[in-house]
Amino acid sequence: MSTSENAIQEQLLQIPDDTLKSIDSFGNRYLGFILKTIYASYPDTRNSIEEKLSKAIANRKHDKVQSLLEDANLPLYPEHAKLDDFDTSCLNEQDQEQFQQLKTLDFLYSDCPNITLLGPQNFGCEKLACGFGDAICHRLHGVYYIKFQHLISMLISHGSNASKNSEYEKLMKKDCLIVEDFAGTPIHDRDLLAELYTFFDARITAHRKSFSAAKGKQQSMKKPCVTIITTCRAYEEWYSFFDCDKMKAVSLATLFHGYGNILYVDETNKPGEGASSGHSSSQTEPDTSSSAESAESITTTTAAGSAPQT
C-alpha cells in the first residue's frame, strides 16, 4: 500500500461514527467509499457533506412515511386524524395518564402490545385509532386499517381464494393492524370463530417471539406485531355475541385483555367524567342499539355443504 493510500486510510478512521452510519445507510458501498474519501481528504467539504447527508436522510424518511401512510388505508387519508387532534378531556384521569403513556408508542416494543379502544361508535374510538396508525407510520412501521366486517369476509374466503390468501398474509405481516368495530357483527359459525382466534393468536405469538429474542440479546425490538381494535362491546359481552363457542370467545377476549391496554373513549363525556377503563356491562353502557340492529349474522357452509350452526 502506498504512502498516499495509508494516509487516506488513516483519515477514513477519523470520520465520526454518526457520519459513517449516515453514509452507509444508503447501501451503496462504492459511492459511499468515494464520499468517505472526499470527506477525509478535503476538510473544507465536511460541513457541506454533513448538511447534505442530513437533508437526504430526512427526505428519505419523509418519502418512506408517505409510502406507509398511503398503504395504511386510514379513513379520510390524507386528512386523517392525528394523535394531537384528540381531545383527552373526555377521558377520566386514569385513562388520560394511560393515553400519555401509549402516546410514546413504547407499547410497540413491550410484551403487552395490543390496544382496545372501547366506546360507542363514531364518538372518538375511530379517530384515536387513526391517530395511533399515523404515529406508528411515522415510526416507520407498516400499518393497515380494516373494518371487522371486511376481516371476517376475508377469513371466510381464506384457503379457497388466492387473492384472499394474499390479503391474509399481508395482514398477518403488518407491524400494526387496526380493526374497526370489532365484535360489531355476530358470528354463529364455530369454525369461523376458531379461524378468527387463530389469526390473532398467531399475531400475538409472533410479537412475543420477537420481543423475547430482542430481550435475550439485549437489543431493541425491530419487528412488532401489534393489534389495535375499536369496539362498542366490553370483553365480557363477547361470549354472548359470539354464541357458537363461548369458550373460544373468552379465549379471544383474553388475547386482548391479557396482552394489551384498554381505554374507554366517548367524546360525549364531559371533561373529567370519562368512564373507568375497567368498564363492564354493569357500568354505564355505550349505546349499541344501532350497531345491533344493523349487524348481520355471518353464515358459512361447512365442507359437507350443510348449514352452519346458528
Side-chain angles (χ1 to χ4, degrees):
M1 185 178 293
S2 66
T3 303
S4 60
E5 289 176 334
N6 283 329
I8 290 176
Q9 288 296 329
E10 290 179 3
Q11 290 173 324
L12 289 175
L13 292 174
Q14 297 176 10
I15 298 177
D17 288 342
D18 289 345
T19 303
L20 288 174
K21 289 179 181 178
S22 296
I23 295 174
D24 291 339
S25 70
F26 287 91
N28 190 318
R29 62 176 181 173
Y30 300 107
L31 291 178
F33 178 76
I34 293 172
L35 187 57
K36 291 174 187 177
T37 302
I38 294 173
Y39 184 96
S41 304
Y42 301 94
D44 292 345
T45 68
R46 292 176 183 177
N47 288 339
S48 177
I49 289 175
E50 289 180 354
E51 180 181 346
K52 287 179 170 55
L53 276 174
S54 296
K55 289 182 178 179
I57 290 172
N59 289 336
R60 183 179 60 179
K61 180 178 179 180
H62 177 269
D63 292 344
K64 177 65 173 177
V65 169
Q66 292 307 307
S67 176
L68 290 170
L69 286 171
E70 289 173 3
D71 189 49
N73 197 39
L74 298 177
L76 302 180
Y77 171 81
E79 303 301 325
H80 58 281
K82 317 294 194 301
L83 277 184
D84 289 339
D85 298 333
F86 183 70
D87 182 3
T88 61
S89 65
C90 69
L91 304 177
N92 67 18
E93 183 176 350
Q94 178 183 349
D95 282 350
Q96 286 190 27
E97 292 178 0
Q98 188 173 23
F99 171 74
Q100 293 303 325
Q101 292 176 354
L102 293 173
K103 194 175 178 181
T104 66
L105 303 185
D106 287 346
F107 68 89
L108 289 172
Y109 318 109
S110 76
D111 59 349
C112 291
N114 297 334
I115 298 179
T116 297
L117 302 174
L118 172 63
Q121 285 182 289
N122 303 317
F123 284 101
C125 288
E126 298 81 7
K127 184 188 299 183
L128 192 51
C130 280
F132 278 119
D134 174 83
I136 292 169
C137 285
H138 279 83
R139 192 64 70 88
L140 301 183
H141 290 300
V143 174
Y144 196 78
Y145 191 108
I146 188 172
K147 292 188 176 181
F148 183 70
Q149 181 78 34
H150 185 181
L151 176 63
I152 293 301
S153 297
M154 183 272 295
L155 290 176
I156 290 175
S157 301
H158 174 238
S160 61
N161 184 303
S163 64
K164 295 299 181 183
N165 290 345
S166 176
E167 184 177 11
Y168 184 96
E169 293 301 322
K170 174 184 177 180
L171 297 182
M172 185 64 72
K173 293 178 180 179
K174 283 295 179 181
D175 298 339
C176 175
L177 180 64
I178 302 175
V179 183
E180 179 186 321
D181 194 27
F182 196 92
T185 303
I187 295 179
H188 299 311
D189 182 87
R190 184 184 295 267
D191 291 339
L192 179 56
L193 183 59
E195 185 80 11
L196 183 67
Y197 172 82
T198 298
F199 176 81
F200 286 109
D201 182 58
R203 284 187 58 83
I204 190 64
T205 298
H207 179 92
R208 289 179 64 80
K209 283 183 178 179
S210 181
F211 173 81
S212 297
K215 185 177 181 180
K217 296 178 181 179
Q218 296 183 337
Q219 298 176 348
S220 58
M221 185 175 172
K222 297 181 179 179
K223 179 66 176 175
C225 192
V226 310
T227 302
I228 300 174
I229 64 171
T230 74
T231 182
C232 60
R233 302 185 186 281
Y235 295 135
E236 57 268 29
E237 296 177 82
W238 291 11
Y239 79 91
S240 60
F241 209 59
F242 299 147
D243 58 0
C244 58
D245 189 338
K246 293 184 178 181
M247 291 305 298
K248 186 64 70 177
V250 171
S251 297
L252 181 62
T254 301
L255 289 180
F256 292 95
H257 183 265
Y259 298 108
N261 309 270
I262 180 171
L263 289 178
Y264 183 78
V265 183
D266 184 353
E267 290 182 319
T268 64
N269 284 329
K270 296 179 181 179
E273 295 184 2
S276 167
S277 59
H279 171 77
S280 69
S281 57
S282 61
Q283 295 172 308
T284 304
E285 192 72 26
D287 181 9
T288 61
S289 58
S290 60
S291 175
E293 290 172 0
S294 61
E296 295 181 359
S297 300
I298 300 294
T299 58
T300 59
T301 55
T302 64
S306 59
Q309 179 182 353
T310 57

